[in-house]
Amino acid sequence: MAGARSVGSLPVPNVQALAEICNGPDEHIPERYIRPEASSEEVINNYQGDMAIPIIDLKKLLSPQSSEEECVKLRSACQYWGFFLLINHGVPDEVIANLKRDIVDFFSQPLDTKKEYTQLPNSLEGYGQSFVFSEDQKLDWADMLYLHVHPSDSRDLRFWPTSPASFRQSIDAYSSETKSLALCLFEFMAKAVGAKPESLLDLFEEQPRGLRMAYYPPCRQADKVMGLSPHSDAGGLTLLLEINDVQGLQIKKDGKWLSVHAPNGAFIANIGDTLEILSNGMFRSVEHRAVINPNKERLSAALFHYPCENIVISPLPEFVKDGKVKYRSISYLDFMKQIFTQQLDGKSRVDTLKLDQ
Ligand SMILES: O=C(O)CCC(=O)C(=O)O
Ligand SMILES: [Fe+2]
Protein backbone atom coordinates (compact mmCIF):
# COMPACT_ATOMS: atom_id res chain seq x y z
CA MET A 1 0.00 0.00 0.00
CA ALA A 2 1.44 3.34 -1.03
CA GLY A 3 2.58 5.50 1.84
CA ALA A 4 1.42 3.14 4.59
CA ARG A 5 2.60 3.86 8.12
CA SER A 6 2.64 1.87 11.30
CA VAL A 7 0.62 4.48 13.14
CA GLY A 8 -0.50 8.04 12.59
CA SER A 9 -1.80 9.88 9.59
CA LEU A 10 -0.22 11.28 6.47
CA PRO A 11 -0.31 15.07 6.50
CA VAL A 12 -3.20 16.54 4.53
CA PRO A 13 -4.51 20.08 4.03
CA ASN A 14 -6.38 21.85 6.78
CA VAL A 15 -10.05 21.49 5.99
CA GLN A 16 -11.28 24.50 7.92
CA ALA A 17 -9.00 26.72 5.83
CA LEU A 18 -9.98 24.91 2.63
CA ALA A 19 -13.68 25.35 3.40
CA GLU A 20 -13.18 29.08 3.71
CA ILE A 21 -11.76 29.21 0.19
CA CYS A 22 -14.32 27.03 -1.53
CA ASN A 23 -17.49 28.14 0.16
CA GLY A 24 -19.55 29.10 -2.88
CA PRO A 25 -22.42 26.99 -4.31
CA ASP A 26 -20.44 26.18 -7.48
CA GLU A 27 -16.92 26.44 -6.15
CA HIS A 28 -14.50 23.72 -7.19
CA ILE A 29 -13.99 21.19 -4.40
CA PRO A 30 -10.73 19.24 -4.73
CA GLU A 31 -11.31 15.78 -6.13
CA ARG A 32 -9.99 14.01 -3.04
CA TYR A 33 -12.96 15.30 -1.05
CA ILE A 34 -15.66 14.37 -3.56
CA ARG A 35 -17.67 11.46 -2.14
CA PRO A 36 -20.49 10.19 -4.38
CA GLU A 37 -21.68 7.90 -1.58
CA ALA A 38 -22.56 10.95 0.55
CA SER A 39 -25.79 11.38 -1.37
CA SER A 40 -26.33 8.00 -3.00
CA GLU A 41 -27.60 6.01 0.00
CA GLU A 42 -30.98 6.29 1.68
CA VAL A 43 -31.11 8.37 4.87
CA ILE A 44 -33.92 8.35 7.40
CA ASN A 45 -34.20 11.64 9.24
CA ASN A 46 -37.44 11.49 11.20
CA TYR A 47 -37.37 8.16 12.89
CA GLN A 48 -40.19 7.13 15.18
CA GLY A 49 -41.60 4.11 16.90
CA ASP A 50 -39.40 1.04 16.42
CA MET A 51 -36.91 3.18 14.57
CA ALA A 52 -36.35 5.50 17.54
CA ILE A 53 -32.93 5.14 19.10
CA PRO A 54 -33.18 3.73 22.66
CA ILE A 55 -32.79 6.10 25.59
CA ILE A 56 -31.06 4.75 28.68
CA ASP A 57 -31.49 6.58 31.96
CA LEU A 58 -28.50 6.11 34.25
CA LYS A 59 -30.46 7.25 37.29
CA LYS A 60 -32.95 4.47 36.66
CA LEU A 61 -30.16 1.93 36.21
CA LEU A 62 -28.75 2.92 39.58
CA SER A 63 -32.05 2.99 41.44
CA PRO A 64 -33.00 -0.41 42.95
CA GLN A 65 -36.70 0.08 42.04
CA SER A 66 -36.11 0.60 38.34
CA SER A 67 -32.74 -1.05 37.72
CA GLU A 68 -34.02 -4.36 36.43
CA GLU A 69 -36.38 -2.80 33.92
CA GLU A 70 -33.73 -0.37 32.69
CA CYS A 71 -31.22 -3.24 32.38
CA VAL A 72 -33.59 -4.98 29.97
CA LYS A 73 -33.64 -1.82 27.86
CA LEU A 74 -29.85 -1.58 28.03
CA ARG A 75 -29.44 -5.15 26.88
CA SER A 76 -31.78 -4.64 23.97
CA ALA A 77 -30.05 -1.36 23.03
CA CYS A 78 -26.64 -3.08 22.96
CA GLN A 79 -27.93 -6.12 21.10
CA TYR A 80 -30.07 -4.55 18.43
CA TRP A 81 -28.77 -1.05 18.07
CA GLY A 82 -25.20 -0.83 19.34
CA PHE A 83 -26.14 2.81 20.02
CA PHE A 84 -28.20 4.55 22.66
CA LEU A 85 -28.73 7.96 24.18
CA LEU A 86 -27.58 8.22 27.77
CA ILE A 87 -29.52 10.65 29.97
CA ASN A 88 -29.28 11.58 33.65
CA HIS A 89 -25.62 10.57 33.45
CA GLY A 90 -24.56 12.77 36.35
CA VAL A 91 -21.74 14.66 34.62
CA PRO A 92 -22.18 18.23 35.91
CA ASP A 93 -23.63 20.70 33.39
CA GLU A 94 -20.87 23.15 34.17
CA VAL A 95 -18.12 20.66 33.28
CA ILE A 96 -19.79 19.94 29.95
CA ALA A 97 -20.44 23.63 29.26
CA ASN A 98 -16.79 24.52 29.94
CA LEU A 99 -15.54 21.78 27.64
CA LYS A 100 -17.92 22.82 24.88
CA ARG A 101 -16.93 26.48 25.16
CA ASP A 102 -13.22 25.71 25.02
CA ILE A 103 -13.54 23.33 22.07
CA VAL A 104 -15.45 25.97 20.12
CA ASP A 105 -12.86 28.58 21.09
CA PHE A 106 -9.96 26.33 20.15
CA PHE A 107 -11.17 25.69 16.62
CA SER A 108 -12.10 29.33 16.04
CA GLN A 109 -8.49 30.46 16.57
CA PRO A 110 -6.19 31.36 13.66
CA LEU A 111 -4.69 28.38 11.83
CA ASP A 112 -1.17 29.21 12.99
CA THR A 113 -2.22 28.93 16.64
CA LYS A 114 -3.87 25.55 16.09
CA LYS A 115 -0.90 24.32 14.09
CA GLU A 116 1.27 24.55 17.19
CA TYR A 117 -0.44 21.31 18.21
CA THR A 118 -0.06 19.53 14.87
CA GLN A 119 0.24 15.72 14.95
CA LEU A 120 3.79 14.46 14.60
CA PRO A 121 4.60 11.71 12.09
CA ASN A 122 3.69 8.30 13.50
CA SER A 123 1.50 9.74 16.21
CA LEU A 124 -2.23 9.98 16.39
CA GLU A 125 -2.28 12.68 19.00
CA GLY A 126 -2.63 16.34 18.18
CA TYR A 127 -4.30 18.52 15.58
CA GLY A 128 -4.78 17.11 12.09
CA GLN A 129 -6.70 14.20 10.60
CA SER A 130 -7.20 10.59 11.53
CA PHE A 131 -6.51 7.51 9.49
CA VAL A 132 -5.05 8.88 6.29
CA PHE A 133 -3.02 5.92 5.04
CA SER A 134 -2.29 6.63 1.41
CA GLU A 135 -1.81 9.49 -1.01
CA ASP A 136 -4.80 8.43 -3.10
CA GLN A 137 -7.25 7.89 -0.27
CA LYS A 138 -10.44 9.99 -0.27
CA LEU A 139 -10.42 12.58 2.50
CA ASP A 140 -12.92 13.61 5.12
CA TRP A 141 -14.29 17.13 5.44
CA ALA A 142 -13.10 17.65 9.01
CA ASP A 143 -10.17 18.55 11.24
CA MET A 144 -9.53 16.86 14.56
CA LEU A 145 -7.72 17.30 17.82
CA TYR A 146 -7.01 13.94 19.43
CA LEU A 147 -5.61 13.57 22.97
CA HIS A 148 -4.94 10.71 25.34
CA VAL A 149 -6.70 11.86 28.48
CA HIS A 150 -6.31 8.91 30.84
CA PRO A 151 -4.30 7.58 32.62
CA SER A 152 -2.57 10.86 33.36
CA ASP A 153 0.89 9.49 32.55
CA SER A 154 -0.33 8.81 28.99
CA ARG A 155 -0.91 12.51 28.44
CA ASP A 156 1.46 14.21 26.05
CA LEU A 157 1.09 17.84 27.00
CA ARG A 158 2.80 19.03 23.83
CA PHE A 159 -0.57 18.50 22.16
CA TRP A 160 -2.70 19.96 24.93
CA PRO A 161 -3.59 23.50 23.89
CA THR A 162 -2.75 26.32 26.27
CA SER A 163 -5.14 28.59 24.46
CA PRO A 164 -7.90 29.03 25.28
CA ALA A 165 -6.30 29.35 28.71
CA SER A 166 -8.84 27.13 30.47
CA PHE A 167 -8.75 24.31 27.88
CA ARG A 168 -6.44 21.92 29.74
CA GLN A 169 -8.39 22.39 32.93
CA SER A 170 -11.70 21.79 31.10
CA ILE A 171 -10.47 18.55 29.53
CA ASP A 172 -9.04 17.37 32.83
CA ALA A 173 -12.32 18.06 34.65
CA TYR A 174 -14.30 16.31 31.91
CA SER A 175 -12.01 13.31 32.08
CA SER A 176 -12.40 13.06 35.87
CA GLU A 177 -16.14 13.52 35.85
CA THR A 178 -16.71 10.87 33.17
CA LYS A 179 -14.34 8.42 34.85
CA SER A 180 -16.87 6.14 36.45
CA LEU A 181 -19.51 6.38 33.73
CA ALA A 182 -18.23 3.76 31.34
CA LEU A 183 -17.29 1.37 34.14
CA CYS A 184 -20.79 1.71 35.50
CA LEU A 185 -22.24 0.93 32.07
CA PHE A 186 -19.92 -2.08 31.63
CA GLU A 187 -21.11 -3.36 34.97
CA PHE A 188 -24.77 -3.10 33.99
CA MET A 189 -24.12 -4.53 30.53
CA ALA A 190 -22.63 -7.63 32.11
CA LYS A 191 -25.47 -7.87 34.62
CA ALA A 192 -28.00 -7.42 31.83
CA VAL A 193 -26.90 -10.65 30.19
CA GLY A 194 -26.45 -12.56 33.45
CA ALA A 195 -22.64 -12.33 33.45
CA LYS A 196 -20.52 -11.34 36.43
CA PRO A 197 -19.80 -7.58 36.45
CA GLU A 198 -16.08 -8.28 36.89
CA SER A 199 -16.01 -10.11 33.57
CA LEU A 200 -15.97 -6.76 31.76
CA LEU A 201 -14.76 -4.51 34.56
CA ASP A 202 -11.46 -6.35 34.97
CA LEU A 203 -10.59 -5.71 31.33
CA PHE A 204 -11.40 -2.03 31.40
CA GLU A 205 -10.35 -1.06 34.90
CA GLU A 206 -7.24 0.90 33.92
CA GLN A 207 -9.45 2.87 31.60
CA PRO A 208 -7.20 4.17 28.86
CA ARG A 209 -9.27 6.90 27.27
CA GLY A 210 -8.84 9.18 24.28
CA LEU A 211 -10.80 12.28 23.34
CA ARG A 212 -11.29 13.11 19.68
CA MET A 213 -12.63 16.58 19.10
CA ALA A 214 -13.83 17.15 15.57
CA TYR A 215 -14.54 20.29 13.63
CA TYR A 216 -16.72 19.83 10.54
CA PRO A 217 -16.78 23.02 8.46
CA PRO A 218 -19.97 23.84 6.56
CA CYS A 219 -19.94 23.15 2.84
CA ARG A 220 -22.43 24.65 0.43
CA GLN A 221 -22.14 21.43 -1.57
CA ALA A 222 -22.60 19.26 1.53
CA ASP A 223 -24.03 16.37 -0.47
CA LYS A 224 -20.69 15.97 -2.26
CA VAL A 225 -18.43 15.63 0.78
CA MET A 226 -18.25 13.38 3.86
CA GLY A 227 -17.48 14.61 7.37
CA LEU A 228 -16.28 11.29 8.72
CA SER A 229 -16.11 8.11 6.63
CA PRO A 230 -18.22 5.12 7.63
CA HIS A 231 -16.43 3.20 10.37
CA SER A 232 -16.95 1.34 13.59
CA ASP A 233 -15.10 2.36 16.74
CA ALA A 234 -12.26 0.07 17.79
CA GLY A 235 -12.42 0.32 21.57
CA GLY A 236 -14.98 -0.81 24.12
CA LEU A 237 -17.40 2.06 24.42
CA THR A 238 -17.64 5.57 23.00
CA LEU A 239 -19.44 8.50 24.59
CA LEU A 240 -20.12 11.23 22.10
CA LEU A 241 -21.01 14.78 22.92
CA GLU A 242 -22.47 17.07 20.28
CA ILE A 243 -20.84 20.36 21.00
CA ASN A 244 -22.95 22.93 19.18
CA ASP A 245 -26.29 21.24 18.65
CA VAL A 246 -25.88 20.67 14.91
CA GLN A 247 -26.92 17.26 13.67
CA GLY A 248 -24.59 15.15 11.54
CA LEU A 249 -24.16 11.66 12.97
CA GLN A 250 -25.76 8.81 11.03
CA ILE A 251 -25.79 5.17 12.06
CA LYS A 252 -26.43 2.06 9.96
CA LYS A 253 -29.71 0.44 10.87
CA ASP A 254 -31.22 -2.33 8.77
CA GLY A 255 -29.18 -1.29 5.77
CA LYS A 256 -30.16 2.38 5.91
CA TRP A 257 -28.54 5.43 7.39
CA LEU A 258 -30.39 6.87 10.33
CA SER A 259 -29.72 10.40 11.59
CA VAL A 260 -29.09 10.50 15.30
CA HIS A 261 -29.19 13.60 17.41
CA ALA A 262 -28.76 13.96 21.17
CA PRO A 263 -31.09 16.25 23.07
CA ASN A 264 -29.20 18.83 25.03
CA GLY A 265 -26.97 17.31 27.69
CA ALA A 266 -27.32 13.65 26.61
CA PHE A 267 -24.49 11.45 25.46
CA ILE A 268 -24.68 9.30 22.39
CA ALA A 269 -23.15 6.01 23.54
CA ASN A 270 -22.00 3.24 21.24
CA ILE A 271 -20.45 -0.19 21.48
CA GLY A 272 -17.00 -0.58 19.89
CA ASP A 273 -15.39 -3.55 18.13
CA THR A 274 -13.58 -4.77 21.24
CA LEU A 275 -16.82 -5.13 23.13
CA GLU A 276 -18.51 -6.85 20.21
CA ILE A 277 -15.79 -9.52 20.28
CA LEU A 278 -15.67 -9.82 24.08
CA SER A 279 -19.44 -10.29 24.11
CA ASN A 280 -19.16 -12.92 21.35
CA GLY A 281 -21.30 -10.76 19.10
CA MET A 282 -24.09 -10.33 21.62
CA PHE A 283 -23.44 -6.57 21.59
CA ARG A 284 -22.99 -4.92 18.25
CA SER A 285 -20.38 -2.49 17.04
CA VAL A 286 -22.34 -0.56 14.44
CA GLU A 287 -21.09 1.35 11.45
CA HIS A 288 -21.61 5.09 11.57
CA ARG A 289 -20.50 8.24 9.77
CA ALA A 290 -20.80 12.02 10.03
CA VAL A 291 -22.26 14.19 7.30
CA ILE A 292 -21.83 17.90 6.68
CA ASN A 293 -24.29 20.74 7.09
CA PRO A 294 -24.46 23.18 4.15
CA ASN A 295 -24.62 26.30 6.33
CA LYS A 296 -23.43 25.52 9.81
CA GLU A 297 -20.20 24.26 11.26
CA ARG A 298 -20.54 21.20 13.47
CA LEU A 299 -18.38 20.15 16.40
CA SER A 300 -18.32 16.94 18.39
CA ALA A 301 -16.21 15.26 21.05
CA ALA A 302 -15.91 11.48 21.16
CA LEU A 303 -14.53 9.90 24.33
CA PHE A 304 -13.15 6.44 23.54
CA HIS A 305 -12.78 3.82 26.27
CA TYR A 306 -10.15 1.21 25.56
CA PRO A 307 -9.36 -2.02 27.38
CA CYS A 308 -6.11 -2.60 29.25
CA GLU A 309 -3.31 -2.80 26.73
CA ASN A 310 -2.01 -6.26 27.63
CA ILE A 311 -5.24 -8.19 27.07
CA VAL A 312 -6.10 -10.70 24.41
CA ILE A 313 -9.45 -9.85 22.88
CA SER A 314 -11.42 -13.01 22.83
CA PRO A 315 -15.07 -13.89 23.50
CA LEU A 316 -15.61 -14.11 27.27
CA PRO A 317 -16.85 -17.54 28.38
CA GLU A 318 -19.84 -15.94 30.09
CA PHE A 319 -21.02 -14.49 26.80
CA VAL A 320 -20.57 -17.68 24.81
CA LYS A 321 -23.92 -19.39 24.64
CA ASP A 322 -24.20 -22.92 23.26
CA GLY A 323 -20.41 -23.20 23.25
CA LYS A 324 -20.20 -21.41 19.91
CA VAL A 325 -17.23 -19.06 19.84
CA LYS A 326 -17.83 -16.64 16.97
CA TYR A 327 -14.54 -14.72 16.80
CA ARG A 328 -10.93 -15.70 16.82
CA SER A 329 -8.69 -14.24 19.51
CA ILE A 330 -6.27 -11.43 18.85
CA SER A 331 -3.96 -9.52 21.14
CA TYR A 332 -5.27 -6.04 21.70
CA LEU A 333 -2.03 -4.49 20.46
CA ASP A 334 -2.21 -6.45 17.18
CA PHE A 335 -5.83 -5.45 16.82
CA MET A 336 -4.99 -1.77 17.21
CA LYS A 337 -2.06 -2.11 14.80
CA GLN A 338 -4.47 -3.32 12.14
CA ILE A 339 -6.31 -0.03 12.32
CA PHE A 340 -3.30 1.79 11.00
CA THR A 341 -2.05 -0.68 8.48
CA GLN A 342 -5.18 -2.13 6.98
CA GLN A 343 -7.56 -0.47 4.62
CA LEU A 344 -10.64 -2.54 4.90
CA ASP A 345 -12.45 -1.34 1.77
CA GLY A 346 -15.81 -1.19 3.40
CA LYS A 347 -15.40 -4.43 5.37
CA SER A 348 -15.86 -4.14 9.09
CA ARG A 349 -12.80 -4.89 11.20
CA VAL A 350 -14.64 -7.38 13.39
CA ASP A 351 -15.79 -9.24 10.28
CA THR A 352 -12.17 -10.11 9.57
CA LEU A 353 -12.07 -11.94 12.92
CA LYS A 354 -15.34 -13.81 12.57
CA LEU A 355 -15.07 -17.57 12.54
CA ASP A 356 -17.08 -19.53 10.01
CA GLN A 357 -20.20 -20.87 11.64
O1 LIG B 1 -18.78 13.46 15.04
C1 LIG B 1 -19.56 12.51 15.11
O2 LIG B 1 -20.78 12.65 15.16
C2 LIG B 1 -19.03 11.10 15.08
C3 LIG B 1 -17.64 10.96 15.62
C4 LIG B 1 -17.17 9.54 15.55
O3 LIG B 1 -17.86 8.65 15.13
C5 LIG B 1 -15.80 9.21 15.98
O4 LIG B 1 -15.04 10.13 16.33
O5 LIG B 1 -15.46 8.01 15.98
FE1 LIG C 1 -16.99 6.72 15.60
Side-chain angles (χ1 to χ4, degrees):
M1 182 181 26
R5 293 181 176 220
S6 56
V7 68
S9 251
L10 294 171
V12 289
N14 182 268
V15 183
Q16 194 171 354
L18 178 70
E20 278 162 24
I21 305 167
C22 44
N23 64 357
D26 310 310
E27 214 69 53
H28 173 73
I29 294 174
E31 198 51 41
R32 281 189 84 185
Y33 296 91
I34 300 290
R35 310 290 289 270
E37 74 276 21
S39 56
S40 64
E41 294 173 296
E42 190 177 346
V43 175
I44 299 175
N45 284 308
N46 295 313
Y47 53 85
Q48 283 163 347
D50 286 350
M51 286 301 266
I53 187 169
I55 301 176
I56 301 298
D57 186 332
L58 187 66
K59 241 190 194 161
K60 287 191 182 165
L61 271 179
L62 291 167
S63 152
Q65 292 83 15
S66 45
S67 191
E68 209 169 307
E69 198 179 322
E70 204 63 11
C71 253
V72 174
K73 280 174 72 181
L74 178 66
R75 175 181 174 147
S76 150
C78 297
Q79 275 187 300
Y80 301 111
W81 282 81
F83 268 83
F84 54 90
L85 301 183
L86 184 68
I87 60 168
N88 290 325
H89 45 65
V91 180
D93 290 347
E94 195 194 348
V95 168
I96 292 183
N98 288 346
L99 181 80
K100 286 183 173 181
R101 181 203 58 223
D102 285 347
I103 292 177
V104 170
D105 287 356
F106 172 76
F107 283 104
S108 58
Q109 298 176 112
L111 184 55
D112 281 347
T113 310
K114 289 176 288 199
K115 277 197 162 162
E116 287 174 30
Y117 308 100
T118 296
Q119 291 163 340
L120 295 173
N122 298 322
S123 160
L124 257 195
E125 280 192 276
Y127 180 60
Q129 271 86 14
S130 299
F131 309 124
V132 182
F133 308 96
S134 79
E135 302 293 351
D136 48 14
Q137 184 182 328
K138 287 285 184 181
L139 297 177
D140 291 340
W141 195 256
D143 300 316
M144 314 249 172
L145 174 66
Y146 180 70
L147 302 174
H148 294 157
V149 295
H150 191 86
S152 37
D153 62 8
S154 71
R155 294 178 178 182
D156 187 340
L157 292 180
R158 283 177 300 176
F159 302 112
W160 286 55
T162 49
S163 78
S166 50
F167 202 6
R168 288 182 172 188
Q169 163 61 27
S170 297
I171 296 174
D172 186 53
Y174 184 69
S175 175
S176 311
E177 291 292 343
T178 48
K179 201 169 174 183
S180 54
L181 252 189
L183 289 183
C184 185
L185 287 169
F186 287 135
E187 186 178 334
F188 283 110
M189 282 173 189
K191 275 190 193 159
V193 299
K196 283 205 257 1
E198 307 82 67
S199 59
L200 287 178
L201 285 180
D202 287 353
L203 302 174
F204 286 93
E205 63 181 348
E206 282 168 21
Q207 294 204 66
R209 276 178 279 145
L211 184 65
R212 183 153 80 200
M213 295 154 271
Y215 178 88
Y216 303 98
C219 178
R220 291 286 289 276
Q221 303 170 73
D223 56 344
K224 290 196 180 147
V225 297
M226 180 65 69
L228 186 58
S229 299
H231 67 283
S232 58
D233 294 347
L237 184 81
T238 306
L239 293 174
L240 182 81
L241 205 55
E242 293 194 305
I243 300 296
N244 64 338
D245 212 29
V246 175
Q247 185 166 332
L249 177 67
Q250 298 181 342
I251 69 173
K252 234 340 161 22
K253 178 85 178 123
D254 304 327
K256 294 174 188 153
W257 290 107
L258 196 73
S259 299
V260 170
H261 191 40
N264 212 4
F267 284 112
I268 302 173
N270 68 283
I271 305 289
D273 297 343
T274 306
L275 193 48
E276 173 169 328
I277 300 169
L278 292 172
S279 70
N280 200 32
M282 198 179 278
F283 299 157
R284 294 183 47 214
S285 173
V286 166
E287 197 184 11
H288 52 286
R289 66 182 191 178
V291 296
I292 293 299
N293 186 290
N295 306 307
K296 293 183 210 156
E297 61 187 10
R298 174 170 185 266
L299 295 96
S300 71
L303 184 62
F304 301 107
H305 298 76
Y306 301 107
C308 309
E309 220 175 67
N310 55 358
I311 71 159
V312 171
I313 316 177
S314 173
L316 293 168
E318 292 178 277
F319 287 82
V320 178
K321 308 281 175 202
D322 316 326
K324 273 194 205 139
V325 175
K326 295 188 184 157
Y327 302 82
R328 68 184 167 81
S329 307
I330 182 167
S331 86
Y332 179 65
L333 287 178
D334 283 346
F335 185 66
M336 291 310 272
K337 249 187 244 157
Q338 283 187 2
I339 297 176
F340 306 106
T341 51
Q342 244 187 347
Q343 281 184 292
L344 292 163
D345 297 326
K347 239 175 137 190
S348 100
R349 202 163 26 244
V350 282
D351 281 351
T352 65
L353 296 170
K354 269 193 184 140
L355 294 168
D356 291 335
Q357 294 297 304

